[in-house]
Amino acid sequence: MKVLVVKTSSLGDVIHTLPALADAVKAIPAISFDWVVEESFQDTPRLHPHVNRVIPVAVRRWRKSIWRYRAEIKACIKEIEKEKYDVVIDAQGLIKSAIITRYATGAKYGFSKTSCREPLAAMAYKHKVDVPKDQHAITRVRQLFSKSLGYEFDEEPLSYGMQKADLATFKSLEKPYLVFLHGTTWASKHWPEEYWAQLVKLAGDAGFYVYLPWGNAQEKERADRLALLDDKATVLEKSTIKELAATLMHASGVVGVDSGLSHLTAACGTPAVTIYGATSAELTGTMGERNQCLQTAFDCSPCLQKDCQYTQPSPVAPACYQTLAPQKILNNLLELMT
């Protein structure tokens, strides 16, 4: 059976879809997948061994000037149209993903209008699947796949399908090491830098090397400042998703904030603590073996606001994170690692 998956973004959402593929492979061993995804995330579906062809799109770039990119858009549509699929699954439920799904050839499945994030998207599917919204995003996608492909959904065990043997480390890293995922998008998601500084020192004193990845100039500057605090702390070179996955897969433990890389850590099965303040771990938190989400204990959390309204202990981190001190984070991580 050949299936086309449409899940274009974001990094965390793409990773949330991997367990559904693992379920399908277990139920239908001969199944294979192609995947339509945003160009910046195209390495992520390739982490799953049953994904054959990845079709990159650039909707985020194209919508700035459809006329300018018309040739590129036509070429992408041609790539989608050239294969015939037994099943096409829109796992995103947005108008943009529904438009992409319409170009594919095969029985089209997607969330019903009461299950979609954007109800109009359901008009693109012949087969509309009802999945309750009050569930974790991973569980919702797994149920969508089970109903679309005709097998019984079994919530346990959870697998992302990634194999440690397929992700050999690209660089020689000192062991044992921890990875600190300090970068994220919203200002309200950031754990205070002074807390990261304390955690770097605590980890070094506990005998761990610390590696600090980064994705933009601001994150690089913060990583550089943190690395100066301890001889065992090192800033990683700019890495691809596959390189980061290998680094995370072989780490002793990981601490992160609400970001796509924290979800990638959960997919790797590495012991990890993910810190949540402004956002909620209930429906979109990291989920995996030896993975723990810690939600701040403030009445206003989760506020789901990009900026904190209250007094902040640092210029870029909300006050609510005061309830999650560095020593607590390290203690919880060490417990997961045993």
Side-chain angles (χ1 to χ4, degrees):
M1 175 183 285
K2 180 175 284 190
V3 178
L4 178 67
V5 178
V6 180
K7 188 65 167 273
T8 61
S9 60
S10 60
L11 178 58
D13 290 338
V14 172
I15 293 167
H16 283 167
T17 308
L18 295 177
L21 271 67
D23 291 346
V25 169
K26 184 178 179 181
I28 311 168
I31 199 168
S32 66
F33 298 93
D34 289 353
W35 195 317
V36 181
V37 67
E38 272 286 336
E39 58 185 359
S40 55
F41 305 124
Q42 61 183 295
D43 285 347
T44 307
R46 294 189 175 101
L47 295 173
H48 196 288
H50 284 79
V51 173
N52 289 337
R53 187 167 68 112
V54 173
I55 306 170
V57 295
V59 177
R60 293 178 174 182
R61 180 163 51 83
W62 294 342
R63 63 189 175 194
K64 296 177 182 178
S65 176
I66 293 176
W67 179 254
R68 177 184 177 185
Y69 296 111
R70 64 191 184 280
E72 195 175 318
I73 294 170
K74 288 180 180 179
C76 183
I77 291 172
K78 189 175 180 180
E79 278 296 307
I80 294 170
E81 291 178 330
K82 78 177 186 180
E83 293 281 351
K84 292 184 178 180
Y85 297 96
D86 298 296
V87 174
V88 179
I89 302 177
D90 180 356
Q92 195 141 26
L94 299 178
I95 292 172
K96 67 176 183 179
S97 59
I99 292 172
I100 293 169
T101 301
R102 291 284 293 178
Y103 286 105
T105 302
K108 297 178 177 64
Y109 289 78
F111 292 112
S112 68
K113 66 179 182 180
T114 57
S115 301
C116 274
R117 286 166 59 187
E118 295 180 354
L120 283 176
M123 297 176 65
Y125 325 127
K126 181 178 181 180
H127 306 280
K128 301 168 178 57
V129 180
D130 287 317
V131 177
K133 284 187 173 181
D134 58 343
Q135 304 179 89
H136 194 283
I138 290 175
T139 304
R140 279 171 43 82
V141 177
R142 293 175 73 189
Q143 290 178 353
L144 171 64
F145 271 60
S146 69
K147 292 179 179 181
S148 300
L149 299 173
Y151 58 84
E152 186 175 348
F153 171 60
D154 182 7
E155 191 165 359
E156 296 294 341
L158 173 70
S159 170
Y160 290 81
M162 293 168 53
Q163 305 297 323
K164 195 168 187 176
D166 296 334
L167 290 169
T169 51
F170 289 79
K171 303 177 181 67
S172 178
L173 302 179
E174 299 284 354
K175 294 184 178 180
Y177 70 86
L178 306 179
V179 180
F180 292 167
L181 304 173
H182 55 94
T184 187
T185 50
W186 296 1
S188 59
K189 291 182 182 182
H190 280 278
W191 202 43
E193 185 172 328
E194 53 262 45
Y195 286 7
W196 284 115
Q198 293 175 42
L199 189 62
V200 166
K201 293 177 180 178
L202 288 170
D205 291 344
F208 292 100
Y209 293 90
V210 174
Y211 289 99
L212 300 158
W214 54 277
N216 56 41
Q218 183 182 24
E219 292 175 10
K220 176 66 163 55
E221 291 172 3
R222 181 170 54 244
D224 286 338
R225 290 192 297 269
L226 293 173
L228 292 174
L229 301 174
D230 195 285
D231 291 340
K232 291 185 176 180
T234 303
V235 179
L236 287 173
E237 296 177 6
K238 190 70 177 289
S239 305
T240 66
I241 288 295
K242 187 172 183 179
E243 289 171 340
L244 280 172
T247 299
L248 295 168
M249 182 75 82
H250 293 272
S252 296
V254 178
V255 176
V257 289
D258 182 7
S259 68
L261 292 182
S262 290
H263 291 286
L264 181 60
T265 303
C268 291
T270 304
V273 172
T274 311
I275 301 165
Y276 285 83
T279 51
S280 173
E282 185 176 356
L283 298 181
T284 57
T286 54
M287 181 185 289
E289 185 182 1
R290 300 185 296 172
N291 189 276
Q292 182 183 65
C293 298
L294 290 182
Q295 188 85 46
T296 54
F298 266 49
D299 290 341
C300 60
S301 175
C303 64
L304 305 180
Q305 300 296 315
K306 292 184 178 182
D307 295 292
C308 180
Q309 304 175 50
Y310 299 96
T311 304
Q312 299 181 7
S314 76
V316 293
C320 63
Y321 290 107
Q322 293 173 359
T323 63
L324 295 176
Q327 188 65 64
K328 175 180 174 60
I329 299 298
L330 183 60
N331 290 345
N332 284 39
L333 180 62
L334 293 175
E335 187 174 340
L336 290 170
M337 289 164 55
T338 57

